[in-house]
């Protein structure tokens, strides 16, 4: 069963993308408003009463192309989950960018209201913000026994010690990609994006930590270490210059892939798994690389919003996706780094080539090329995000 499903996932036509709008002026303004809300001094909302015992449904908000899907638009692992548990899942592609999604739901969160999602997958730093403001429910690990399969290195992050409020979904790298037909010689560094021959054909991500993180690494900064305003401002100024000169065409969230496919952009700062997806979807035309100066490493995480009335259902879902065979099936489709111990062995038994894919199961050498953007203080987060967003507003 698993063998056939993974084969189906790897051979699918990948016609599942329903991309949200890019980071235009309206989305950027919303993100700035979200960033301005620090949550300071507010009473934390109370968790909703759990009605999972009588309500066997679940709403899951996630990013585009972030779960297995067949040619008919079904999600095989979710179909199997419903068959096992009786819980019906409404899976919604609702996240294009951490800040814009937060901007849509922050007022409801502050009031402890149901945002229409019982679980949502967001990036480490945004999860840290939700936890800090009291916008997430504490997880009952007794309902997630498969959490014992969590990769030890991810078990105790500074934004959520002991994983009381969050559990990793998938991880990945931010690096550079290019159209192999238009740029046959390839690219090696972020600096190569500024080649005059590519003017007006470059895209960068609206995720500040990935775009600025790569620029800081190019400047020789250890983004996981001790750095401050000067290092951030130097990288931000490089981006500003490239935007104002017209070198950078677009700054977007997940929808940057549409620009690659239309060839509005020929190269970009991008996310690793996406390039496997776009190659399967639109022809083997693009290549991904971790830049010579290094790439960023991140994780997106399950959390349960404070107003969700179905926390136990969400915990049941999380536990299911921590079964190694299920994690391997998802990894075969999304091509991101799975956080589940045993998934590589499950993949090896099915498809050795999959198990050797460094973008899914990276070895120590590959991981040594990637760096985690250090956790920011609330003041730094607001200041740096505002500085970055000012470039988006002017782009």
């Amino acid at each position: 069963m698993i063998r056939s499903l993974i084969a189906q996932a790897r051979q699918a036509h990948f016609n599942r993308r329903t991309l949200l709008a890019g980071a235009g002026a309206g989305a950027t303004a919303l993100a700035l408003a979200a960033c301005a809300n620090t949550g300071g001094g507010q009473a934390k909302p109370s968790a909703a009463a759990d009605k999972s015992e009588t309500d066997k449904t679940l709403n899951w908000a996630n990013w585009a192309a972030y779960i297995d899907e067949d040619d008919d638009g079904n999600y095989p692992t979710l179909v199997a989950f419903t068959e096992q548990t009786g819980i019906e899942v409404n899976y919604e592609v609702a996240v294009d960018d951490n800040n814009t999604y937060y901007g849509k739901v922050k007022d409801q969160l502050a009031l402890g209201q149901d945002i229409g999602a019982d679980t949502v997958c967001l990036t480490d730093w945004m999860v840290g913000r939700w936890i800090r403001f009291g916008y997430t429910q504490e997880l009952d690990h007794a309902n997630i026994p498969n959490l014992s399969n969590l990769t030890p290195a991810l078990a105790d992050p500074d934004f959520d010690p002991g994983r009381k409020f969050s559990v990793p979904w998938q991880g990945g790298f931010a690096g550079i990609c290019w159209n192999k037909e238009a740029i046959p010689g390839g690219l090696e560094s972020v600096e190569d994006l500024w080649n005059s021959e590519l003017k007006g054909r470059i895209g960068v991500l609206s995720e500040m930590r990935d775009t600025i993180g790569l620029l800081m690494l190019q400047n020789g900064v250890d983004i996981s270490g001790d750095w401050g305003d000067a290092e951030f401002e130097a990288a931000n100024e490089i981006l500003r210059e490239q935007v104002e000169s017209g070198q950078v065409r677009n700054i977007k969230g997940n929808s940057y892939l549409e620009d690659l496919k239309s060839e509005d952009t020929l190269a970009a700062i991008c996310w690793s798994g996406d390039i496997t997806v776009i190659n399967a979807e639109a022809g083997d035309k693009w290549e991904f690389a971790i830049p010579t100066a290094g790439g960023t490493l991140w994780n997106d995480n399950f959390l349960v919003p404070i107003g969700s009335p179905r926390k136990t259902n969400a915990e049941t879902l999380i536990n299911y996706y921590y079964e190694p065979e299920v994690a391997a099936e998802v990894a075969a489709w999304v091509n991101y780094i799975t956080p589940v111990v045993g998934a590589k062995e499950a993949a090896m038994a099915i498809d050795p080539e999959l198990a050797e894919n460094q973008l899914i199961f990276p070895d120590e050498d590959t991981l040594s090329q990637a760096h985690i953007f250090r956790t920011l203080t609330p003041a730094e987060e607001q200041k740096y995000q505002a500085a970055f967003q000012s470039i988006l507003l002017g782009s």
Side-chain angles (χ1 to χ4, degrees):
M1 174 67 171
I2 296 296
R3 179 187 296 272
S4 66
L5 286 173
I6 288 189
Q8 180 183 36
R10 289 175 63 76
Q11 296 170 7
H13 296 297
F14 297 89
N15 57 353
R16 76 275 179 205
R17 278 191 177 273
T18 306
L19 293 173
L20 305 181
T28 303
L30 188 63
L32 281 170
C35 204
N37 178 13
T38 63
Q42 294 182 356
K44 293 184 178 180
S46 299
D50 191 0
K51 60 180 184 179
S52 296
E53 189 171 341
T54 58
D55 184 351
K56 296 301 182 182
T57 62
L58 178 71
N59 298 313
W60 180 4
N62 208 349
W63 302 72
Y66 221 18
I67 194 172
D68 53 306
E69 185 172 341
D70 63 23
D71 289 339
D72 296 323
N74 301 310
Y75 307 116
T77 57
L78 278 182
V79 171
F81 172 76
T82 298
E83 292 174 349
Q84 287 183 23
T85 66
I87 299 172
E88 294 282 347
V89 181
N90 172 37
Y91 184 85
E92 183 180 6
V93 177
V95 184
D96 181 64
D97 172 279
N98 283 288
N99 268 313
T100 53
Y101 181 79
Y102 177 66
K104 295 173 185 177
V105 301
K106 65 182 179 65
D107 292 338
Q108 292 169 279
L109 289 169
L111 295 172
Q113 296 176 348
D114 185 357
I115 65 170
D118 301 299
T119 189
V120 58
C121 294
L122 298 172
T123 310
D124 291 335
W125 62 271
M126 180 57 77
V127 171
R129 181 190 294 180
W130 284 42
I131 293 171
R132 191 165 67 245
F133 295 169
Y135 293 167
T136 62
Q137 298 190 43
E138 185 169 350
L139 300 173
D140 183 351
H141 286 188
N143 292 331
I144 318 174
N146 285 336
L147 200 56
S148 61
N149 295 329
L150 173 62
T151 298
L154 301 176
D156 199 36
D158 61 358
F159 63 86
D160 186 14
R163 287 291 179 182
K164 292 182 179 180
F165 299 94
S166 67
V167 174
W169 165 239
Q170 304 288 318
F173 304 107
I176 54 176
C177 63
W178 61 92
N179 184 311
K180 293 185 290 186
E181 296 175 357
I183 311 173
L187 304 176
E188 295 184 352
S189 70
V190 171
E191 198 70 29
D192 291 340
L193 296 175
W194 315 145
N195 187 316
S196 60
E197 295 180 1
L198 298 175
K199 185 172 183 177
R201 310 299 291 278
I202 300 298
V204 301
L205 294 170
S206 59
E207 286 289 333
M208 179 266 287
R209 286 160 178 78
D210 291 326
T211 292
I212 297 299
L214 290 187
L215 293 175
M216 291 174 68
L217 286 166
Q218 182 67 42
N219 284 347
V221 178
D222 177 5
I223 61 173
S224 60
D226 185 17
W227 56 267
D229 291 355
E231 291 82 1
F232 177 88
E233 290 167 3
N236 206 52
E237 189 57 32
I238 289 173
L239 178 61
R240 187 183 303 278
E241 291 172 359
Q242 299 301 332
V243 170
E244 292 180 351
S245 71
Q247 184 75 18
V248 171
R249 182 185 184 96
N250 293 316
I251 307 175
K252 291 187 175 180
N254 235 173
S255 53
Y256 77 93
L257 291 174
E258 295 303 298
D259 295 330
L260 288 174
K261 287 192 289 186
S262 69
E263 298 190 5
D264 280 350
T265 56
L266 298 178
I269 290 175
C270 63
W271 291 311
S272 53
D274 284 347
I275 303 310
T276 299
V277 167
I278 192 176
N279 277 332
E281 183 179 77
D284 186 21
K285 294 173 58 177
W286 296 272
E287 189 161 340
F288 171 87
I290 297 175
T292 51
T296 63
L297 178 64
W298 46 265
N299 272 281
D300 291 329
N301 309 266
F302 286 108
L303 53 79
V304 178
I306 195 68
S308 165
R310 305 174 189 87
K311 181 171 80 79
T312 300
N313 289 349
E315 292 163 342
T316 303
L317 179 84
I318 294 169
N319 188 66
Y320 168 76
Y321 278 102
Y322 266 71
E323 295 176 11
E325 293 78 11
V326 177
E329 184 178 339
V330 172
W333 203 90
V334 302
N335 287 271
Y336 280 108
I337 303 170
T338 175
V340 179
V341 173
K344 181 175 182 178
E345 289 72 20
M348 183 69 75
I350 301 161
D351 186 344
E353 182 181 351
L354 170 68
E356 295 303 321
N357 187 328
Q358 288 298 300
L359 299 183
I360 305 174
F361 302 106
D363 58 23
E364 290 302 316
D365 181 60
T366 300
L367 287 173
S368 71
Q369 303 171 50
H371 309 269
I372 298 173
F373 199 96
R374 74 165 173 83
T375 299
L376 303 178
T377 67
E380 286 176 328
E381 182 178 321
Q382 185 170 352
K383 175 170 57 177
Y384 295 158
Q385 189 67 43
F388 178 70
Q389 295 286 358
S390 71
I391 298 177
L392 272 67
L393 285 171
S395 64

